[in-house]
Amino acid sequence: MLGLGDIGATLVQPGSVGVAQPMGAKAGDGKASTGTRRAPADHENALLRASMITCSGGVCQHGRVPPAERLVLSLTGPDSHTIDRTPGLGELVIGPPNPGNQPHVILGPDDRIDWSVFDEFTVPAGYPWPRWFTYRGNDTSFVEWARNRPIERFHWTPEAAVKIDASRARISSFTIHLGTEPVEVVVPHSEPGNGNSFSVSGDLSLFTPVLADGTRAPETLYLSTVTPPDPTGAPWRLPDLPVFAAAKRVGVYGQPLRQPFDCTSLLLFPRVEGVDLSGQLTNLEALMELSELTSLRISSSPDLSSFPPLERFTKLNRLMLSSIDEINGKRIRAEHRKLTKNPDREWHQSWVSELRKPEWFVTEHGLPFSEWPAKAGRVATKTYRTASAGIARATSAAEVEEAIRTFVRFFNTQPNIETIKRDDLGDAVALLATHAPFDVSPDLAQTWFDEERDY
């Protein structure tokens, strides 16, 4: 996780300490922006902040907090939004309402934003504020604004098909979370060695990167996706990404117990020096063909059987393996210990730790509830473990069926099982079927799921 910034936003709404709703002109009404003004916090809200739990950007402070500076912002119209800047955080979250995790600034996905209202704000050290933005919406004018205003980190989730030219945007770390629509991006120019990164998550087939003439792509690329819960299925590969062929650091993040990632895809990056992987992996022997590889990190991976003998990585001097399968982890750890005794080879920040048994990955990791609110996620995980334990004890296919049906019926009694959670529960059912001691096809398990659920 990245560290916190210097100044943050506390959300303000009449009668609570928390959410900044649009005020004044209606969001997106097209009226001219009048900039930003400061207004003193009223006495009642000041007392609330001193006596209640105040949350800002995911950090909650109990009791008295430092004085906040209330700002009236003309983001979508004159005086359209109000927020409180409180010491401690540098992130601002902008987007539609999201129950349980409200953004600092609430607006519609198609509202036009005057990003220049932030030009006058800095943190005490002199850096621009906000330092980090998380934005869900379709206004692409931030890339034009960022030509002159540096941004340390920008996380963007567009909700429509978009094409943007970010080639001159001064965004150090740019992350795009893909939805269901295609996104084409002329990637930001990055000078060699400046540490800039570019990240994409979601259905990578929807992403098209473009490189403008006379520019260089960032040397650090991070990619993540969610694949079907089928660890024995055909491996998935990265799409062709010639724009990033010169990348020196590449991370590919999947999940355990799902469709495996084919590591031969990493040969798309022949100059890569550092690789970071997680999830179900296959064809790890392809890593030996990366002639410049010096650093390798693998985590949360239940099968490293294709990992080649460590001595074949002649330039590798950093090895960080954690939460990997026990059998192959012991082999690799023994090889690493042997190599560390070689006086002609120096190792830095290297370890092989947290070796796991197969059942650990089934019950403790890779479950599809990581994005659920904390309490609901704990309940879902506990219910999954109960079903998994019942399946492990099953002496017939009928007992497996009953365990899965009971799991599905439980969530008929739980609130707020909307589309995303329903899909996650369908994935959980497929995982339960995969690990059943009797042959239960994913299609059959899906039939039980559909018959029992009322969400």
Side-chain angles (χ1 to χ4, degrees):
M1 298 292 292
L2 295 174
L4 299 178
D6 297 310
I7 296 292
T10 298
L11 317 180
V12 179
Q13 181 180 4
S16 71
V17 179
V19 180
Q21 298 279 8
M23 61 175 289
K26 183 179 179 181
D29 63 3
K31 294 182 181 179
S33 171
T34 59
T36 306
R37 63 184 176 87
R38 293 176 169 83
D42 61 87
H43 180 65
E44 179 181 3
N45 271 332
L47 288 176
L48 282 170
R49 283 194 299 275
S51 61
M52 299 178 64
I53 298 175
T54 303
C55 296
S56 176
V59 174
C60 294
Q61 297 172 305
H62 293 256
R64 187 170 300 280
V65 297
E69 178 185 23
R70 180 165 296 179
L71 305 177
V72 180
L73 305 175
S74 297
L75 283 173
T76 57
D79 298 347
S80 60
H81 294 80
T82 297
I83 63 174
D84 273 2
R85 287 208 309 173
T86 57
L89 295 173
E91 181 180 24
L92 190 70
V93 182
I94 303 172
N98 182 17
N101 190 21
Q102 289 284 24
H104 299 147
V105 176
I106 296 177
L107 44 71
D110 294 316
D111 288 346
R112 293 186 61 83
I113 300 172
D114 181 3
W115 298 92
S116 68
V117 300
F118 298 109
D119 285 347
E120 66 182 279
F121 300 121
T122 60
V123 301
Y127 299 108
W129 180 90
R131 297 167 65 182
W132 309 331
F133 288 89
T134 296
Y135 170 53
R136 177 183 290 272
N138 304 319
D139 183 83
T140 61
S141 62
F142 70 86
V143 293
E144 295 297 325
W145 174 60
R147 290 189 174 201
N148 297 310
R149 199 278 200 182
I151 301 172
E152 287 187 33
R153 186 178 70 188
F154 200 101
H155 283 226
W156 179 38
T157 305
E159 296 192 345
V162 292
K163 294 183 178 181
I164 64 168
D165 182 354
S167 59
R168 298 300 175 185
R170 298 170 64 189
I171 302 175
S172 299
S173 177
F174 192 10
T175 298
I176 299 176
H177 303 283
L178 301 167
T180 59
E181 300 295 334
V183 175
E184 181 178 306
V185 179
V186 183
V187 301
H189 171 67
S190 179
E191 292 294 336
N194 68 359
N196 287 3
S197 66
F198 194 90
S199 306
V200 185
S201 69
D203 182 352
L204 300 179
S205 67
L206 297 173
F207 173 60
T208 302
V210 179
L211 191 63
D213 291 341
T215 65
R216 294 174 177 263
E219 294 180 336
T220 299
L221 175 67
Y222 300 119
L223 304 166
S224 65
T225 191
V226 176
T227 55
D230 185 6
T232 62
W236 68 277
R237 295 177 53 84
L238 296 175
D240 288 338
L241 298 167
V243 165
F244 295 99
K248 291 187 176 181
R249 288 164 294 279
V250 174
V252 180
Y253 308 105
Q255 301 82 33
L257 311 179
R258 289 179 173 267
Q259 186 180 12
F261 170 62
D262 186 347
C263 293
T264 60
S265 289
L266 295 170
L267 301 182
L268 295 169
F269 315 106
R271 302 180 192 175
V272 70
E273 298 173 1
V275 169
D276 191 351
L277 304 171
S278 70
Q280 201 82 23
L281 306 172
T282 190
N283 294 329
L284 282 157
E285 65 274 3
L287 296 174
M288 293 189 300
E289 299 182 45
L290 301 174
S291 59
E292 302 302 315
L293 187 66
T294 61
S295 176
L296 176 62
R297 180 193 297 267
I298 300 177
S299 62
S300 305
S301 186
D303 182 7
L304 296 189
S305 57
S306 62
F307 193 88
L310 195 56
E311 63 183 6
R312 297 187 182 179
F313 295 92
T314 57
K315 288 189 177 182
L316 196 67
N317 56 36
R318 282 182 172 85
L319 179 70
M320 295 154 282
L321 307 186
S322 61
S323 292
I324 59 175
D325 75 282
E326 183 180 46
I327 294 176
N328 293 288
K330 288 181 177 179
R331 169 180 65 86
I332 299 167
R333 184 160 61 187
E335 293 173 353
H336 179 250
R337 286 174 175 171
K338 181 179 179 180
L339 290 174
T340 58
K341 296 177 182 179
N342 183 348
D344 297 326
R345 188 162 182 179
E346 187 175 1
W347 293 84
H348 310 279
Q349 296 178 323
S350 297
W351 60 81
V352 181
S353 64
E354 300 176 47
L355 308 187
R356 306 297 189 182
K357 296 182 181 297
E359 54 267 25
W360 182 87
F361 289 98
V362 175
T363 60
E364 300 290 339
H365 203 87
L367 299 182
F369 312 125
S370 60
E371 300 300 322
W372 288 31
K375 183 178 180 180
R378 288 193 297 270
V379 171
T381 299
K382 181 179 179 180
T383 308
Y384 179 93
R385 290 175 181 170
T386 300
S388 180
I391 289 172
R393 295 191 302 267
T395 59
S396 68
E399 291 181 2
V400 172
E401 177 181 353
E402 182 55 30
I404 291 177
R405 287 182 179 272
T406 300
F407 172 79
V408 176
R409 286 195 297 268
F410 172 81
F411 292 95
N412 288 338
T413 66
Q414 301 301 297
N416 302 319
I417 305 296
E418 74 288 342
T419 301
I420 294 176
K421 287 184 179 178
R422 184 185 67 224
D423 292 344
D424 291 340
L425 290 170
D427 287 346
V429 165
L431 281 174
L432 288 170
T434 298
H435 297 283
F438 300 91
D439 186 18
V440 177
S441 70
D443 289 342
L444 180 57
Q446 185 65 42
T447 298
W448 299 338
F449 177 66
D450 291 336
E451 289 176 353
E452 295 292 344
R453 65 182 175 89
D454 61 13
Y455 39 85

